[in-house]
């Protein structure tokens, strides 16, 4: 029996100072061209926290705006502000930088994080008011150290500085004297990913209406990889994040696959649950500091603010079939195999047409497709165009080729079966998974019957192969009663769905 999606969590962390000090576009420019005009301008192009919260795509990401509502807004969205925008959404929140640094400290198990006493005195109390935080996190915080000690660590011992509003407020030390895999730079990347994953985990568990102790397995699918000189990326973010989030009954492991990793991880989680190995598995991923300001040069050149100023995290709770929640159909998995090739039509064919043909369905029978959901505000000024739209044109063209629609119906197909992009540039996150929360709700409410999530990746980035990568899966309404030959009436099914939605609403009101 197929496993189900029980809940999701989506979080953003506004990190403007990390754009300057940790985003690779900026750090590389500082090495190659330290006197560049771009570096002189970038700080003045950073958005305020209020602007980040009121940004329509960000409000969509945390669940306060449905993608259909966003699609009605004329693009670009960069100059539009959503009135009465809320930091908290039904799926998660947009956490400010000053609070996030305390979550980073709480995620540190080897005493490498230092925050100044003045910073702690000014912001720690505000951080502790966040209703999502368990007691274990608040009890892990320190009173801070003198700023002079932090300056010494940064200037004399190669610690990675932590900044807020342009000022040094803390640092992350190296975890080994000579191992580059445990350098301050790598520890910084890893702790930021881990901490944002913790935040996403907490929201996903809460939104699923389960106890933290019910989670039995966690799969991390972020872009970083932890390890040491003997095993580089051989570590385990999943169990490390589960520890901080208080998932005491969970073990776990990591999945890596560049941008396609979350889709791989969801399929593996669904298979683990369907097999009976575990009852509840959570797929999680934290943010990637390297991607901050990645297209900043193009944005600044065109008079835009730095739009890639947030770390993104997401988590998906996958459980045994409860007869209510949408199922992940393991009979309709798409895969880009070694022999598929890199031609776009072959990639889309292997991920969309082939798996549907195996279960006797047409492309037009999928209500919504969720491929790479990159925000066009970010990609179009950088010359990459509207990525979701390009994918929908290829899927629609495949439907035309198969005789399912006429060529003149292509635009209607895109509008009916497509989505606008709203995901932050965090590599792994855009490929399909931002829609899973909405897909779950839309299926439960009867708005749609099914959706296909498509993850695509570029394996050649690792210089191990020239191959592309990709997998896909279908989410559809629950069929367990039908499969069991149950006599449950339609009214009873509606009642169960209503109860599930009420429980979800109650969890939001309990914040």
């Amino acid at each position: 029996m197929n496993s189900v999606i029980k809940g999701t969590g989506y979080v953003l962390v506004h990190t403007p100072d990390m754009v300057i000090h940790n985003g690779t576009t900026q750090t590389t420019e500082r090495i190659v061209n330290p006197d560049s005009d771009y570096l002189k301008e970038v700080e003045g192009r950073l958005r305020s926290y209020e602007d980040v919260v009121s940004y329509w795509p960000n409000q969509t990401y945390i669940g306060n705006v449905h993608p259909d509502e966003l699609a009605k807004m004329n693009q670009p969205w960069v100059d539009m502000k959503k009135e009465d925008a809320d930091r908290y959404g039904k799926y998660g929140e947009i956490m400010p930088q000053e609070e996030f640094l305390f979550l980073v400290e709480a995620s540190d198990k080897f005493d490498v994080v230092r925050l100044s006493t003045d910073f702690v005195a000014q912001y720690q109390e505000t951080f502790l008011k966040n209703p999502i935080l368990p007691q274990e996190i608040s009890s892990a915080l320190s009173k801070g150290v003198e700023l002079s000690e932090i300056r010494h660590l940064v200037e004399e011992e190669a610690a990675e500085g932590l900044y807020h509003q342009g000022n040094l407020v803390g640092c992350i030390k190296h975890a080994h004297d000579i191992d580059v895999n445990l350098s301050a730079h790598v520890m910084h990347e890893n702790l930021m990913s881990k901490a944002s994953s913790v935040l996403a985990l907490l929201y996903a568990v809460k939104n699923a209406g389960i106890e933290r102790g019910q989670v039995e397995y966690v799969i991390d699918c972020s872009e970083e990889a932890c390890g040491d000189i003997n095993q580089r990326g051989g570590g385990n973010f999943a169990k490390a994040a589960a520890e901080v989030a208080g998932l005491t009954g969970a073990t776990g492991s990591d999945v890596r696959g560049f941008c396609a990793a979350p889709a791989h991880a969801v399929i593996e989680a669904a298979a683990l649950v369907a097999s009976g190995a575990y009852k509840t598995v959570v797929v999680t991923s934290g943010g990637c500091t390297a991607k901050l300001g990645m297209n900043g040069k193009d944005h600044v050149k065109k008079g835009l603010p730095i739009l890639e100023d947030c770390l993104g995290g997401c988590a998906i709770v996958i459980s045994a079939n409860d007869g209510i929640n949408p199922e992940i159909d393991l009979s309709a998995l798409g895969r880009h195999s070694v022999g598929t090739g890199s031609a776009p039509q072959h990639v889309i064919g292997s991920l969309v047409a082939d798996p549907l043909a195996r279960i006797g369905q047409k492309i037009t029978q999928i209500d919504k497709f969720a491929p790479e959901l990159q925000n066009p505000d970010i990609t179009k000024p950088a010359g990459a165009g509207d990525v979701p739209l390009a994918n929908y044109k290829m899927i629609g063209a495949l439907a035309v080729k198969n005789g399912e629609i006429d060529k003149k119906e292509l635009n209607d197909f895109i509008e009916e079966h497509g989505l606008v992009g709203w995901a932050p540039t965090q590599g792994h996150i855009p490929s399909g998974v931002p829609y899973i929360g909405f897909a779950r709700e839309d299926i439960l409410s009867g708005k749609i019957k099914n959706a296909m999530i498509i993850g695509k990746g570029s394996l050649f980035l690792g210089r191990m192969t020239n191959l592309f990568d990709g997998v896909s899966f279908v989410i559809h309404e629950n069929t367990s009663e039908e499969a069991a030959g149950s006599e449950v009436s339609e009214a009873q099914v509606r009642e169960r769905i209503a109860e599930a939605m009420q429980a979800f609403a109650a969890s939001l009101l309990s914040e």
Side-chain angles (χ1 to χ4, degrees):
M1 186 177 292
N2 286 323
S3 50
V4 300
I5 297 170
K6 204 170 183 68
T8 56
Y10 295 95
V11 300
L12 294 171
V13 183
H14 181 225
T15 52
D17 286 86
M18 292 184 204
V19 172
I20 297 173
H21 295 281
N22 307 107
T24 55
T25 294
Q26 292 67 239
T27 56
T28 301
E29 184 76 358
R30 198 168 292 116
I31 295 170
V32 176
N33 191 9
D35 296 321
S36 74
D37 291 336
Y38 171 64
L39 290 176
K40 294 172 184 175
E41 287 190 62
V42 65
E43 189 170 345
R45 297 295 183 88
L46 297 173
R47 295 187 293 183
S48 68
Y49 176 68
E50 290 71 25
D51 286 345
V52 167
V53 170
S54 63
Y55 185 51
W56 279 83
N58 290 350
Q59 285 290 303
T60 305
Y61 189 77
I62 63 171
N64 286 339
V65 173
H66 192 281
D68 290 349
E69 183 181 357
L70 181 66
K72 295 176 183 177
M73 308 293 296
N74 292 327
Q75 296 181 26
W77 305 303
V78 62
D79 293 323
M80 299 181 185
K81 294 185 179 181
K82 187 180 187 304
E83 294 184 9
D84 302 320
D86 198 332
R87 160 184 173 165
Y88 296 98
K90 61 184 174 183
Y91 298 142
E93 68 169 286
I94 304 172
M95 181 173 275
Q97 179 176 257
E98 64 271 22
E99 294 181 30
F100 181 63
L101 293 183
F102 291 104
L103 187 55
V104 172
E105 182 187 27
S107 299
D108 169 29
K109 296 296 182 180
F110 281 84
D111 196 32
V112 297
V113 176
R114 297 285 188 276
L115 295 175
S116 75
T117 51
D118 288 345
F119 182 79
V120 170
Q122 186 171 359
Y123 296 112
Q124 189 182 89
E125 186 176 346
T126 303
F127 167 72
L128 292 174
K129 291 179 181 178
N130 192 319
I132 199 65
L133 299 177
Q135 179 60 38
E136 301 96 308
I137 287 179
S138 59
S139 62
L141 302 179
S142 72
K143 296 180 180 180
V145 300
E146 291 301 317
L147 186 58
S148 58
E149 179 182 335
I150 293 169
R151 283 204 182 99
H152 169 77
L153 290 169
V154 172
E155 295 171 4
E156 304 297 331
E157 299 189 25
E160 193 79 17
L162 297 173
Y163 299 85
H164 182 59
Q165 296 177 346
N167 299 312
L168 182 68
V169 298
C171 69
I172 294 179
K173 303 189 302 175
H174 60 68
H176 194 277
D177 291 338
I178 61 171
D179 187 348
V180 295
N181 303 284
L182 298 172
S183 68
H185 169 79
V186 174
M187 293 303 296
H188 181 283
E189 288 184 337
N190 289 351
L191 281 168
M192 298 306 157
S193 182
K194 177 184 174 182
S196 46
S197 173
V198 168
L199 190 62
L201 278 171
L202 291 171
Y203 275 103
V205 170
K206 173 184 175 293
N207 294 341
I210 62 175
E211 298 297 324
R212 287 181 289 160
Q214 289 178 253
V215 178
E216 296 180 342
Y217 203 85
V218 176
I219 301 175
D220 181 280
C221 55
S222 58
E223 293 186 272
E224 309 299 353
C226 60
D228 64 17
I229 196 169
N230 294 308
Q231 50 193 13
R232 299 190 180 182
N236 191 321
F237 272 97
K239 200 166 184 178
E243 176 189 18
V244 179
L247 309 183
T248 56
T251 185
S253 60
D254 297 352
V255 166
R256 295 292 178 265
F258 288 101
C259 301
H264 281 291
V266 169
I267 292 171
E268 292 178 23
L272 284 171
V273 172
S275 73
Y278 301 103
K279 293 180 181 178
T280 301
V281 178
V282 183
V283 171
T284 185
S285 63
C288 176
T289 56
K291 296 288 172 59
L292 293 170
M294 189 170 72
N295 293 289
K297 287 184 180 181
D298 292 304
H299 295 161
V300 168
K301 191 182 299 182
K302 292 177 173 60
L304 298 170
I306 299 295
L307 296 172
E308 297 156 311
D309 54 4
C310 289
L311 298 177
C314 68
I316 302 151
V317 179
I318 297 168
S319 295
N321 203 310
D322 57 6
I324 300 172
N325 279 293
E327 300 176 4
I328 299 170
D329 192 340
L330 293 176
S331 69
L333 302 180
R335 63 185 183 274
H336 180 285
S337 65
V338 171
T340 297
S342 58
Q345 63 269 29
H346 293 158
V347 174
I348 290 297
S350 68
L351 299 179
V352 176
D354 293 354
L356 293 178
R358 287 200 299 271
I359 61 172
Q361 281 195 325
K362 297 179 179 180
I363 294 173
T364 51
Q365 289 179 278
I366 296 296
D367 291 335
K368 288 291 181 181
F369 292 91
E372 302 156 293
L373 296 173
Q374 279 96 340
N375 177 356
D377 268 5
I378 294 171
T379 57
K380 290 172 78 172
D386 189 325
V387 178
L389 180 60
N391 277 289
Y392 292 126
K393 286 180 177 179
M394 286 190 286
I395 295 171
L398 201 56
V400 172
K401 181 182 178 183
N402 292 350
E404 298 179 32
I405 62 172
D406 191 87
K407 188 175 181 179
K408 64 184 179 182
E409 299 175 298
L410 183 58
N411 288 336
D412 292 336
F413 173 88
I414 292 171
E415 184 174 350
E416 181 181 351
H417 298 273
L419 299 159
V420 295
W422 66 90
T425 304
Q426 288 284 279
H428 56 305
I429 286 177
S431 284
V433 292
Y435 182 58
I436 291 178
F438 291 110
R440 175 180 175 271
E441 285 192 29
D442 288 348
I443 291 171
L444 282 172
S445 68
K447 185 176 181 178
I448 63 173
K449 291 184 177 181
N450 55 35
M452 176 177 274
I453 309 299
I454 304 169
K456 293 198 289 182
S458 305
L459 296 186
F460 52 82
L461 294 173
R463 309 303 194 270
M464 291 287 106
T465 174
N466 284 310
L467 292 174
F468 284 89
D469 187 31
V471 289
S472 65
F473 57 91
V474 173
I475 304 169
H476 58 62
E477 56 191 349
N478 198 289
T479 60
S480 62
E481 298 290 0
E482 175 185 330
S486 172
E487 298 299 324
V488 176
S489 68
E490 185 177 339
Q492 288 174 310
V493 171
R494 285 200 301 269
E495 182 179 344
R496 289 188 182 184
I497 292 173
E499 288 173 356
M501 297 298 284
Q502 287 171 0
F504 177 64
S507 73
L508 297 179
L509 295 173
S510 66
E511 292 183 351

